[in-house]
Amino acid sequence: MTSGSLRARAESGERLLGVLVRIPAEELVEMAAVAGFDFVLVDCEHGPADVVALRQHIAVAAIHRVPVVVRVGENDPGMILRALDQGAEGIVGPHVDNAADAEALVAAAHYPPIGTRGFATYSRAGRFGETDPTGHRDWYHANTLVIGMIESPAAVAEADAIVATSGLDGVMIGPADLAASSGTHDLPVAEAIKCVNTAISSGGVLRMDIVSSVEAANAAFEQGAQLVVYNLAASLMTHLIGLLTPRN
């Protein structure tokens, strides 16, 4: 793997590919690492939020020097602290509808004076107390990746303000939630996504896209994404269903 934190690599302009998994998926994490993916996104919003299991997945990825980002539940600062204490390099926060939500996400993900995250070095991330406290704090200030999800018409309307939030490193659109929450009086989903991506580009923050095919991943990178994550469940189901073709 290339050296440097995931955030630093994305900000330097690398095109980074990851997979979204829901625990338990230790072998999938390891297979993705062996295959050469740049990061793993563990979903604790729509999957189990078992911190013990999450720790095991992060530890497996660490053996292969692959960073883990964790999607937490909505407004869940406790889970954010625990995920980062166990060694996650970043957080994806769902349902960021306005700048206040984005500010709360940033605060939960960072130590003071940037945020309000409780400080400890005796966790796994602090090498069980063997890390210098000042160096530990400074590394996390500089390298924690904080991504907010825009996935409602209200959030689309506030996209410029969300993107402008200090400490928010990037934005990921949640296309399924956006489609489900959009009504006849809202922008068509494709137009809404275009508006958000324009705000991301204008604001100079990172863009993370979720896709389910190589073609979609290529398109996302060409359109300006720095981080692209495959929905592994969707990709695997497509592959498994395709494997049934010989019996048809």
Side-chain angles (χ1 to χ4, degrees), residues 39-53:
F39 68 98
V40 173
L41 174 57
V42 178
D43 187 3
C44 291
E45 181 195 15
H46 292 291
D50 182 330
V51 179
V52 174

Side-chain angles (χ1 to χ4, degrees), residues 2-192:
T2 305
S3 61
S5 70
L6 187 66
R7 174 175 152 188
R9 293 173 62 194
E11 289 177 342
S12 74
E14 281 193 60
R15 291 182 170 185
L16 302 172
L17 268 174
V19 293
L20 170 70
V21 301
R22 296 174 183 87
I23 55 179
E26 292 98 330
E27 282 202 346
L28 287 176
V29 169
E30 197 159 17
M31 290 166 70
V34 170
F37 281 90
D38 298 297
F39 68 98
V40 173
L41 174 57
V42 178
D43 187 3
C44 291
E45 181 195 15
H46 292 291
D50 182 330
V51 179
V52 174
L54 175 62
R55 183 193 189 286
Q56 293 166 349
H57 287 65
I58 294 172
V60 166
I63 292 171
H64 297 277
R65 301 174 61 86
V66 173
V68 171
V69 180
V70 179
R71 179 162 71 175
V72 297
E74 182 178 358
N75 189 27
D76 195 351
M79 187 63 183
I80 290 172
L81 180 149
R82 294 181 183 94
L84 293 171
D85 273 0
Q86 294 311 314
E89 279 198 20
I91 296 294
V92 173
H95 300 289
V96 173
D97 285 337
N98 50 52
D101 290 345
E103 290 167 1
L105 176 63
V106 171
H110 278 288
Y111 293 131
I114 296 174
T116 58
R117 177 186 165 199
F119 187 82
T121 60
Y122 53 82
S123 63
R124 185 177 176 278
R127 295 182 60 81
F128 312 106
E130 293 303 303
T131 296
D132 170 69
T134 299
H136 175 79
R137 181 198 62 201
D138 291 349
W139 191 93
Y140 273 92
H141 280 338
N143 293 288
T144 301
L145 178 67
V146 185
I147 303 287
M149 291 191 70
I150 288 180
E151 41 193 345
S152 71
V156 172
E158 295 293 322
D160 287 329
I162 291 169
V163 166
T165 301
S166 178
L168 189 73
D169 302 304
V171 169
M172 175 180 175
I173 298 171
D177 274 290
L178 180 58
S181 61
S182 295
T184 56
H185 299 295
D186 297 310
L187 288 175
V189 172
E191 187 175 343

